[in-house]
Every structure is written in C-alpha cells, then in structure tokens.
C-alpha cells in the first residue's frame, strides 16, 4: 500500500470504514488526506464516484476473496483512481493497469511478505527483509498447537508494524516456491461451496462467487450472538474482521453491523469436508 502511495502521488484517498486499521499506517506516515465511506450489505460501496477528483485514490477491499465479479464492474467506473486491496483474495487474478496488493500469510504458512502489482515503479533501492525471527508461531502450531502458538503470533504480528518498505525475504520466497497452490485452491473452493450449500438459507450475507474466486473464509452473517463462542469452545477459531471498525463508526453505519454479525468460518486447506460437516452441525444447533 505504501509503495503505491509513494509511487503514484495523490492528494487524498477514500477508504472503507469496513477494513483493517493497519491500512491507516502508510496513509498517516505520508500525511495523506483520507475520508471514510460505508458499504452496503452486499459489501459494495455506498458512494458517488463522480466526487473523486483526478488526483485522488479510491481503495476497495476484495472482501473475503468473494468480490471479484463486482470489482470487474467497479474498475470500469474509476480505472485511473482505484486501488484493490486483495489481502483477503490471494488467488484473485491481476487486472492489468490497476494497482493491487496481496498478502500470502493469510492463506499459507509464511510469517510475512506480500505481492504488489502497479504500473509505476519507485526509483529507489529497497533493503531485503529477514523472516526467521518471526516464524515461532508457525513452528509451535506444528509441534504443539495453535493455542500454544498464539502469543508468539501476536508478538510476531506486532513486529510488522511501522516497518519500512522491504523486498521479500529469502525464507518467505523459498517457502512460497514449494507450495502446491492448485491443491490449496481446490480445497478452499470445495469447503466454501459445501458450507454455502448447507448454510445459505441461514446466511444474511448475499454471496455470488465467480468461477476464479478462491475465498479466504466463509463469511456467515447471523444475529445469533453466542455462535462464535460456541465455535471457539469446539476449537473452531473464527477471526473478527475488524474490531477497530466499532471504534471508527457507530450503528448509523452498515460497517458496524457487518463487524458485529459476520463470523469468518475457516475453510483453508487444513480442513476436510468431514470437518465442514461438524461446523455445520454446531451452527445448526444454535441458528
């Protein structure tokens, strides 16, 4: 994100309330003016695009990796201004001449690193990152458990804050080069479609998945307040996207309710259809 902002200098950026607070880090670092917008309950902007000036950016998040179809429409409206945040959509195809960034660590076992596509390069040499000191949570997850690695994860995650722009580390590159991505894509899609086929009647969130989409999680929107705790008690851990939103806005914004009500059900390659069946049974016990 910072690379794009530095390379393609603009005066202002519009960004959704419904996003991670880390997105503000490069914006504040560069003293860029910014303004929030809300999204509707389809996760699409409530915004008059005619207000965007030539020297302004508009950031849109590919939520949960399920908004590829909408993005194809959106880029026709503001092709010169848009940045696509694909942090939750690692497998979404690059769109020519549109600035996009990706976060592999949300999909596979690396501690850091990202991919960037933009049509303008920075004229500066970048230091190479080092990753070995951030790997402890991944190693503990294998040798011990996810719970016992959580403290390390929090510390390693915090160590990524306020870093300068760096090139990807040798370790992250090496790990990424040895992954069977086709298997991961197949597994995620199968898990997602199985959940959706069984839960779509109970899910308040409309979902229309494109053929190429590979979701990060299954976003299940519900007003069942105790469901997330029930899943946690069954050792099914669902991240909250994003708690900062509840401080950025109030109940007058859709983003507030999306944050409170969407449960991000894991669908990644560590899980089989049998485990999806167990998740469905736990949900149907409550919803």
């Amino acid at each position: 994100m910072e690379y794009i902002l530095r390379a393609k200098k603009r005066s202002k950026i519009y960004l959704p309330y419904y996003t991670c607070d880390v997105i503000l880090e490069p914006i504040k670092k560069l003293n860029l003016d910014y303004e929030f917008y809300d999204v509707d309950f389809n996760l699409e902007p409530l915004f008059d695009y005619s207000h965007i000036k030539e020297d302004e950016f508009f950031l849109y998040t590919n939520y949960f990796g399920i908004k590829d179809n909408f993005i194809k429409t959106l880029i026709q409206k503001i092709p010169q201004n848009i940045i696509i945040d694909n942090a939750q959509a690692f497998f979404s195809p690059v769109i020519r001449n549109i600035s996009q960034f990706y976060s592999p660590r949300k999909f596979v076992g690396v501690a850091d690193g990202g991919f960037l596509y933009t049509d303008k390069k920075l004229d500066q040499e970048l230091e190479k990152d080092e990753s070995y000191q951030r790997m402890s949570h991944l190693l503990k997850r294998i040798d011990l458990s996810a719970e016992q690695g959580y403290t390390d994860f929090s510390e390693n995650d915090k160590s990524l804050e306020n870093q300068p722009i760096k090139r990807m580390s040798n370790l992250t590159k090496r790990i990424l080069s040895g992954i069977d991505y086709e298997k991961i894509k197949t597994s995620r899609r199968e898990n997602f479609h199985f959940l959706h086929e069984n839960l779509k009647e109970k899910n308040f969130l409309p979902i229309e998945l494109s053929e190429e989409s590979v979701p990060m999680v299954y976003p299940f929107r519900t007003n069942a307040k105790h469901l997330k705790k029930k899943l946690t008690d069954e050792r099914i851990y669902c991240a909250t996207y994003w708690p900062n939103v509840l401080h950025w806005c109030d109940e007058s914004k859709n983003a507030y309710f999306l944050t409170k009500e969407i449960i991000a059900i894991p669908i990644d390659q560590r899980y089989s259809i049998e485990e999806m069946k167990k998740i469905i049974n736990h949900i149907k016990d409550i919803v």
Side-chain angles (χ1 to χ4, degrees):
M1 178 70 169
E2 183 179 343
Y3 190 106
I4 295 168
L5 297 180
R6 286 184 181 276
K8 305 180 77 169
K9 298 180 177 67
R10 302 286 173 92
S11 65
K12 182 177 180 177
I13 185 168
Y14 297 93
L15 62 154
Y17 280 111
Y18 192 48
T19 193
C20 180
D21 57 358
V22 75
I23 210 74
L24 284 180
E25 188 180 299
I27 293 170
K28 290 182 175 180
K29 187 189 291 188
L30 299 176
N31 293 313
L32 185 65
D33 190 18
Y34 64 93
E35 183 178 324
F36 288 111
Y37 67 85
D38 201 11
V39 294
D40 63 22
F41 291 132
N42 290 317
L43 306 173
E44 297 170 8
L46 292 167
F47 195 86
D48 182 349
Y49 303 111
S50 66
H51 289 165
I52 304 173
K53 297 176 182 174
E54 189 175 332
D55 70 336
E56 295 178 340
F57 281 125
F58 185 90
L59 178 73
Y60 180 71
T61 299
N62 190 343
Y63 292 106
F64 313 112
I66 66 172
K67 298 304 294 183
D68 289 298
N69 278 341
F70 172 71
I71 286 169
K72 291 174 186 175
T73 302
L74 182 60
I75 61 173
Q76 301 302 316
K77 297 177 181 177
I78 45 173
Q80 304 306 316
N81 307 87
I82 194 163
I83 300 172
I84 301 297
D85 177 352
N86 273 327
Q88 295 189 331
F90 182 60
F91 293 102
S92 289
V94 165
I95 304 169
R96 188 175 175 81
N97 298 324
I98 301 295
S99 294
Q100 300 137 87
F101 55 90
Y102 299 78
S103 178
R105 72 193 185 103
K106 293 179 174 59
F107 284 74
V108 295
V110 293
D112 50 35
F115 290 104
L116 162 71
Y117 177 85
T118 187
D119 59 359
K120 190 169 177 63
K121 290 186 71 173
L122 277 176
D123 185 21
Q124 68 180 80
E125 282 296 314
L126 298 176
E127 175 189 354
K128 183 176 283 189
D129 199 7
E130 295 177 349
S131 300
Y132 65 90
Q133 72 276 23
R134 301 191 192 107
M135 296 292 292
S136 58
H137 66 286
L138 295 169
L139 301 176
K140 282 186 178 180
R141 187 180 190 114
I142 295 168
D143 242 2
L144 302 173
S145 68
E147 297 96 321
Q148 287 171 282
Y150 185 75
T151 299
D152 290 60
F153 165 75
S154 299
E155 292 173 356
N156 292 337
D157 198 51
K158 193 164 184 62
S159 75
L160 295 171
E161 295 177 5
N162 296 307
Q163 290 281 337
I165 303 172
K166 296 178 182 179
R167 289 181 291 132
M168 186 182 287
S169 73
N170 290 334
L171 178 55
T172 296
K173 273 188 181 180
R174 181 73 63 86
I175 294 171
L176 290 174
S177 70
I179 291 172
D180 185 345
Y181 292 107
E182 290 305 314
K183 185 177 180 181
I184 289 172
K185 287 159 72 172
T186 299
S187 178
R188 283 178 174 273
R189 283 186 180 128
E190 286 178 352
N191 288 340
F192 185 95
H193 286 299
F194 188 82
L195 284 178
H196 191 50
E197 188 60 34
N198 285 276
L199 296 175
K200 60 186 175 185
E201 300 301 325
K202 297 177 180 292
N203 192 349
F204 297 163
L205 184 72
I207 292 175
E208 181 188 345
L209 204 65
S210 72
E211 286 187 14
E212 68 264 31
S213 293
V214 182
M216 183 178 74
V217 295
Y218 180 73
F220 183 70
R221 187 176 170 216
T222 178
N223 55 14
K225 296 180 180 179
H226 304 297
L227 178 57
K228 187 172 180 181
K229 184 181 185 308
K230 163 73 171 174
L231 293 174
T232 301
D233 290 344
E234 299 294 338
R235 302 185 73 201
I236 301 163
Y237 302 110
C238 306
T240 299
Y241 301 104
W242 293 268
N244 55 280
V245 177
L246 303 179
H247 302 291
W248 284 358
C249 63
D250 57 24
E251 295 179 18
S252 67
K253 304 298 181 188
N254 296 331
Y256 184 93
F257 293 100
L258 292 169
T259 301
K260 295 271 282 188
E261 296 177 355
I262 287 181
I263 298 175
I265 300 172
I267 58 163
D268 65 69
Q269 53 275 15
R270 294 168 296 182
Y271 298 96
S272 66
I273 292 295
E274 287 305 308
E275 286 160 312
M276 296 299 104
K277 289 178 182 177
K278 293 176 185 175
I279 289 173
I280 290 165
N281 289 335
H282 292 315
I283 291 174
K284 288 185 174 179
D285 283 345
I286 292 182
V287 178

